[in-house]
Structure formats: structure tokens, C-alpha cells
Amino acid sequence: MKERQQDRRRSQKDVEHLKDRVRELESAEKRRREAEIQREAALEALRESEYKYRSILESIEEGYLEVDLAGNYTFVNDAMCRMLGKNRDEIINASYKTNYTPETAEKAFRMFNRVYRTGTSEELFDDEIIRKDGQTITRELSVSLMRDPAANPVGFRAVARDVTKRKKAEADLRESEEKYRTILESISEGYMEVDLAGKYTFVNNAACAMFNMSREELLGTSYRDYMAPETAQTMFQIFNTIYRTGERAELFDYEILGKNGTKQTRELAASLMRDSSGKPSGFRIVVRDITSRKMTEEALRKREQELKVNAQYLAEANTALKVLLKHREEDRIELERDVLSNVRELVLPFLEKIKTTHLTELQETYLNIIEANLNNIVSPFFRNMTLNDFNLTPKEIQIANLIKEGKTTKEIAAVLNLATSTIDFHRNNIRNKMGFTNTRANLRSYLLSLS
């Protein structure tokens, strides 16, 4: 009986022990299931995180890459594939040096080496690589060290940005700036920029030469420092008008004071400058030094005035000379007429009387020579004689004019309704009064030679 009780107690203990074991197993299973759920949740979160960050890496425009310590690619995103012009399979496990020239590869190696030794991230600007198609592009590269959970270096990660277009734009901008700066520095006109306060912010070489000052001396000074107050006020009004209207304006013949107090005359054209937002930021000024031109114009004006005075004097002198010459001509003509009249009235009549005397043949020859010489002497005087100078009657003047027209004696008689003998009588009188006797010279030719 006692043994059966002991067996029962042992059996009860075994059952209790078994129950405890079952409960322990159930508890362990519960914990296992909970741990499994937690692990699955962690894995899911890790997968979601990995997808999230991979999606970010694949969606960014910057290239992302990872290389091991040997320099072989272990990961690249899509942007890096596009940057290199290759697919992912062509890149992974290949060395980064395949995209470099020997010189640029050496430069990248030195940077990786510094990052490995110091553990400090570095940036590499103007990193030039060669794409698959042979095109060279420029990148900005930011590199940092990768470590394993034990903090041991295992490779490098880098973010790359393609700045080829930006670099080209910067180079084009520098080239353009240099081009226009060269133009500004080579022109003979002065070019200046002033801010809204009127202080010089830029001047070219020609402007410095105009002021006889260096660029350092001019920059920061005000345009008012080189002008008389009234000129500065005029300049201010011009700038104010440009600021309000936005329209270009000009100013002519204004004076400035040079470094040594010398005055210069200038003319300028000014326009408004605006900043990138379109707000007024200052004024551009193109200046031309016209001091020499104004001096030349003044000298020419004075010379012109002198020439006008001289011309007036010469005109007056010329008028006076013309009067004197006219008087002289009149005196000469009067003298010729007197000489001719004296010869005709005081000499020729007596020669005619001598001809009626009994002359020897030799005397008659001498007399004809004297008469011919006298006619030669006085013949030039006839050019200034008119018919009125021979004391012709009105009828004789009428007949003389008809003779000059080429009329014959018969035609003249018909015109005047006179006999031809009357016309011959008047013709002889005309010859006698003109001293045109004893010669076979043509009367019409003689009349035409008279004034």
C-alpha cells in the first residue's frame, strides 16, 4: 500500500514536471515566434530602407559609386552609368582607372590615398574622365572612406556631379568677358561705371588717361570730385532723368578738372545699368575728350574772323584800286582822244595844205612817210573812240552805222531815200573827219574797230 502511494506521488511529480516542461516549451515557442515576427519585421524594415535608399540613389542626378580598396567598382547608380556611357555590367568589377588618362588617374589615386590615410572626406574639382564614346567630361567628385562593422576600411564611396556644361558656360563667359574687356581697354573713348551714389566702380584705360590717374586712384571716388559745382549739378540732373525714364542721355561741352588742375572739355553719353532682378544699380558712361577739338575749333573761329577782317580790307582796297584804275583808264582815254584830236586838227590839216604846194618828188615822199607814221602812231587810239568823238552830224552817224552793218551805197540811199551821190558826199565827209583820207583802207572795217 505504501509503495503504491509512493508510485502515485512519483507519477504526480512526473506529470507536474512534464507540465512544467510543456509550459516551458510553449513559452519558448512563443518567444521564438515573437522573435521570428520581430526578425521578419526588421528584415522587412531593412528591405524597405534598402529600397528607399536605393531608389534615392537611382533617382538623383548625381552619380554615386563605390569602389573597393583595389579601386574596382562594386556599386554604381543609374546616373553614374549615364555619366560613363556604359551599362552596369560593363562597370562593376572594372577599375576606376579605365575612365582616366594616366595623368588624371594618378591625381585620383593620390586623393583616394589621402582619404584612406586620414579618414577625412575630400573633394576633387575639375575631375576629367573619358566616356565610352571617347568624349571627355568634367566632374566634381566628393570621396569618403567606407568601413565594415569592425571599423576597418573596406573601400570608398563617392558622389560625382557632371559639370561639363557649367564649366563650358563659365569658360564661354570668361572668354566673352575677356573679349569685351579687351575691347573696352583698347578703345580711345573713356568708359566708366558709377553706382547710384555717383561713385566710380569701373574705369577703362582711356578713362584713367583722361584723368591722368591710376585705376586705384579713381575707383571709389565720386564724379563730383572732378567738376565745378554747377557742372556737377547739371550731371546730377542728367543722371536723375536717366534713372526716372530709363532713357539714354547725352551731355556736350562740359568741363572737368584733371589731377593737376588742368581743365578738359568732354562730351558723354550715359545709360542706366540694372541688376539681375531688373532694379537700377548705376550708370554706364562713354566719354570723349574733345579738348583738342575745341581748341582747334576756337583757333579756326579766330582765324576765320581774321580772314573776314582781311577779306573786308582787301575788298575795300580792291574797290579803291578799281576806282583808281578806272580813273587811270579814263585819263588814258582822254589823253588818247586829246592826242588824236590834236593830230587831226593841228597837224593833218597843215599836211594837206603842204600837199597842195609845189613839192618835189622827194618832198612828197617824205610827206607821205610823215603822214603814214602819224597814222600809225594814232591808230591804236581809235579803239576807244566812238562816232560822237569825230563831230559827225546826225545824218553822218546814221550813214556810218549802216556802213558798219555792211550796207552798200546804193542800199543806204534806198533806206534813207537819198541819192547815191548824197551818200558818197557823206562818206567822204566821214573819212575826212576821221582823218581817213588818201588811203584805200576799208571804211567799214575801220568803223567796226571803233568802240
Side-chain angles (χ1 to χ4, degrees):
M1 185 69 177
K2 187 176 180 180
E3 291 178 353
R4 284 198 297 269
Q5 288 178 349
Q6 289 177 346
D7 291 336
R8 190 181 297 115
R9 283 195 298 270
R10 282 196 298 271
S11 296
Q12 289 177 349
K13 287 181 181 179
D14 291 338
V15 170
E16 289 297 329
H17 178 73
L18 183 59
K19 288 180 178 180
D20 290 340
R21 182 59 180 163
V22 169
R23 282 195 294 271
E24 288 177 359
L25 290 174
E26 288 177 347
S27 177
E29 179 64 19
K30 182 179 180 181
R31 288 195 301 272
R32 187 190 67 76
R33 286 197 299 269
E34 290 176 352
E36 182 68 21
I37 293 172
Q38 290 178 353
R39 187 175 66 81
E40 288 294 333
L43 287 174
E44 182 63 25
L46 184 61
R47 282 193 293 271
E48 290 179 359
S49 177
E50 191 268 347
Y51 176 76
K52 172 183 176 182
Y53 290 112
R54 180 178 291 274
S55 297
I56 292 174
L57 286 177
E58 295 298 350
S59 63
I60 60 176
E61 293 183 2
E62 288 78 5
Y64 176 82
L65 63 93
E66 293 178 0
V67 295
D68 57 24
L69 294 178
N72 298 320
Y73 290 106
T74 58
F75 177 81
V76 290
N77 68 349
D78 289 344
M80 180 58 65
C81 292
R82 292 192 298 270
M83 197 177 292
L84 297 177
K86 300 178 180 180
N87 59 45
R88 189 171 275 102
D89 293 337
E90 293 177 293
I91 300 172
I92 299 301
N93 295 323
S95 173
Y96 71 89
K97 296 180 181 180
T98 59
N99 303 115
Y100 286 96
T101 65
E103 294 78 12
T104 53
E106 177 63 24
K107 183 178 179 181
F109 171 78
R110 288 197 298 268
M111 181 188 65
F112 284 131
N113 185 262
R114 287 193 299 272
V115 172
Y116 179 83
R117 287 186 290 102
T118 64
T120 304
S121 299
E122 281 200 22
E123 291 185 349
L124 179 61
F125 301 99
D126 300 335
D127 178 41
E128 291 188 351
I129 62 170
I130 303 173
R131 287 168 45 90
K132 182 179 179 180
D133 58 11
Q135 178 186 357
T136 299
I137 65 172
T138 304
R139 305 185 303 181
E140 289 180 352
L141 200 63
S142 178
V143 180
S144 59
L145 190 63
M146 287 181 9
R147 298 179 183 273
D148 63 13
N152 297 314
V154 294
F156 305 91
R157 60 170 60 91
V159 176
R161 181 180 294 107
D162 186 350
V163 294
T164 306
K165 292 182 179 179
R166 191 188 77 190
K167 288 294 183 180
K168 184 178 185 305
E170 291 174 354
D172 292 343
L173 182 61
R174 283 193 297 271
E175 182 180 351
S176 177
E177 180 187 16
E178 182 62 26
K179 171 184 175 182
Y180 290 110
R181 181 180 292 274
T182 301
I183 292 173
L184 286 177
E185 295 298 355
S186 62
I187 61 176
S188 58
E189 287 78 7
Y191 176 81
M192 299 172 285
E193 294 178 359
V194 297
D195 58 21
L196 294 178
K199 294 184 177 181
Y200 292 112
T201 57
F202 177 83
V203 290
N204 69 347
N205 290 335
C208 295
M210 287 181 185
F211 283 98
N212 193 24
M213 298 172 67
S214 67
R215 186 173 277 105
E216 291 72 19
E217 291 176 305
L218 272 175
L219 294 180
T221 62
S222 172
Y223 68 88
R224 300 181 183 88
D225 299 336
Y226 310 100
M227 298 179 180
E230 56 273 14
T231 307
Q233 181 61 28
T234 301
M235 186 72 75
F236 171 79
Q237 292 171 355
I238 289 177
F239 284 145
N240 185 261
T241 301
I242 296 172
Y243 182 86
R244 288 185 291 101
T245 65
E247 296 180 355
R248 180 176 178 272
E250 295 179 343
L251 177 62
F252 301 99
D253 298 350
Y254 74 97
E255 287 188 346
I256 67 159
L257 301 175
K259 183 177 182 180
N260 299 324
T262 56
K263 289 185 177 181
Q264 297 178 2
T265 306
R266 294 182 179 178
E267 58 186 20
L268 66 78
S271 58
L272 190 64
M273 289 196 313
R274 299 181 183 274
D275 59 20
S276 57
S277 64
K279 295 181 179 179
S281 59
F283 305 92
R284 294 186 181 91
I285 308 169
V286 177
V287 180
R288 182 178 292 109
D289 187 351
I290 58 172
T291 306
S292 298
R293 191 184 79 190
K294 297 298 290 185
M295 293 174 63
T296 302
E297 289 175 354
E298 180 63 20
L300 288 174
R301 188 189 64 79
K302 290 181 178 180
R303 184 56 179 164
E304 184 179 3
Q305 187 63 30
E306 292 175 0
L307 291 175
K308 285 182 179 179
V309 173
N310 292 338
Q312 184 177 359
Y313 170 77
L314 289 175
E316 293 174 354
N318 189 45
T319 301
L321 182 60
K322 285 181 179 179
V323 172
L324 291 175
L325 290 175
K326 182 179 180 182
H327 289 166
R328 182 179 179 280
E329 182 66 15
E330 291 173 351
D331 292 343
R332 185 184 63 77
I333 293 173
E334 184 66 25
L335 178 62
E336 289 179 354
R337 286 176 177 172
D338 289 344
V339 171
L340 183 59
S341 176
N342 289 334
V343 170
R344 287 170 49 224
E345 295 176 3
L346 300 178
V347 178
L348 293 180
F350 290 100
L351 290 178
E352 290 297 325
K353 287 183 179 182
I354 292 174
K355 288 180 181 181
T356 61
T357 62
H358 300 288
L359 299 174
T360 65
E361 184 178 350
L362 181 59
Q363 289 173 336
E364 187 174 351
T365 300
Y366 286 155
L367 186 60
N368 289 334
I369 292 173
I370 292 173
E371 185 178 14
N373 288 338
L374 283 173
N375 285 329
N376 290 334
I377 291 172
V378 299
S379 60
F381 299 164
F382 285 107
R383 64 182 182 276
N384 293 316
M385 301 294 287
T386 64
L387 294 177
N388 293 327
D389 293 324
F390 294 98
N391 297 320
L392 300 180
T393 65
K395 183 61 70 178
E396 290 169 347
I397 292 174
Q398 192 176 20
I399 292 171
N401 286 329
L402 290 172
I403 293 172
K404 287 172 65 176
E405 292 176 7
K407 304 293 184 182
T408 64
T409 298
K410 186 176 181 180
E411 289 172 336
I412 295 172
V415 170
L416 299 179
N417 197 21
L418 297 171
T420 56
S421 59
T422 302
I423 301 302
D424 289 336
F425 173 77
H426 286 301
R427 289 176 71 105
N428 288 331
N429 285 342
I430 292 172
R431 281 178 170 273
N432 289 331
K433 289 182 179 181
M434 290 184 174
F436 210 58
T437 58
N438 298 324
T439 178
R440 298 184 63 85
N442 187 276
L443 180 59
R444 180 173 179 265
S445 299
Y446 181 74
L447 290 172
L448 289 172
S449 68
L450 299 177
S451 299

